[in-house]
Amino acid sequence: MDALGDFLPQFGIHTDFVKHINDLAEVESKIGPDTRAIFAETVANPSTEILDIEPLSQLAHEHGIALIVDNTAPTPYLLRPIEFGADIVVHSTTKGITGHGNAIGGAVIDSGHLDWVNGRFPPIHHTAAGHQR
Ligand SMILES: Cc1ncc(COP(=O)(O)O)c(C=O)c1O
């Protein structure tokens, strides 16, 4: 079972896949009114394809959606994706970040830069509005 293809659809979260993540025209062709985010690996496992983060970030932000990147392979020691425009960075800490693979873990880092109340993220918008009252 994989997370995007099998697990998340049970909760109403569906993913359109692309062949080449750095092909901006292909990625943009999948963005619709209900799209919330682009998800990509900074260095893909196992293909090792390297993500060009800045142009993908610009595309995401033109559409008001988040760029979420999995930075597990390079770790923050080698690459800090927020500096190139990523909104959320996730890591499997099971791998290089802990150096030994003897404990299962993960990390999610929010850049704090995305406008979550731009209308694309209603549940977050409503929660944020609730906190402002
Ligand atoms: C890039 C990347 N992210 C996440 C994972 C999932 O890691 P975990 O085993 O901690 O669930 C993997 C597993 O191979 C991976 O290669």
Side-chain angles (χ1 to χ4, degrees):
M1 177 181 268
D2 75 78
L4 299 180
D6 303 312
F7 184 70
L8 290 177
Q10 301 174 89
F11 306 99
I13 299 169
H14 299 280
T15 304
D16 293 308
F17 293 90
V18 294
K19 280 199 169 66
H20 301 289
I21 192 63
N22 291 317
D23 180 343
L24 297 181
E26 186 187 8
V27 175
E28 189 167 31
S29 76
K30 305 286 186 182
I31 299 174
D34 60 349
T35 306
R36 303 287 180 257
I38 298 170
F39 183 92
E41 289 174 283
T42 53
V43 178
N45 179 14
S47 74
T48 71
E49 184 175 1
I50 294 173
L51 184 67
D52 196 357
I53 301 171
E54 263 176 343
L56 199 61
S57 158
Q58 281 167 16
L59 179 68
H61 297 155
E62 280 166 20
H63 289 272
I65 62 178
L67 175 62
I68 307 171
V69 298
D70 181 328
N71 197 41
T72 296
T75 80
Y77 185 76
L78 295 175
L79 175 63
R80 299 194 301 217
I82 290 170
E83 293 176 5
F84 298 93
D87 299 297
I88 304 272
V89 183
V90 300
H91 293 98
S92 163
T93 58
T94 312
K95 303 188 173 59
I97 236 174
T98 50
H100 30 62
N102 61 359
I104 294 173
V108 179
I109 300 102
D110 182 346
S111 71
H113 297 152
L114 189 72
D115 177 11
W116 292 104
V117 294
N118 67 7
R120 277 268 184 176
F121 309 94
I124 295 173
H125 189 156
H126 294 145
T127 305
H131 282 300
Q132 282 162 13
R133 266 187 245 128

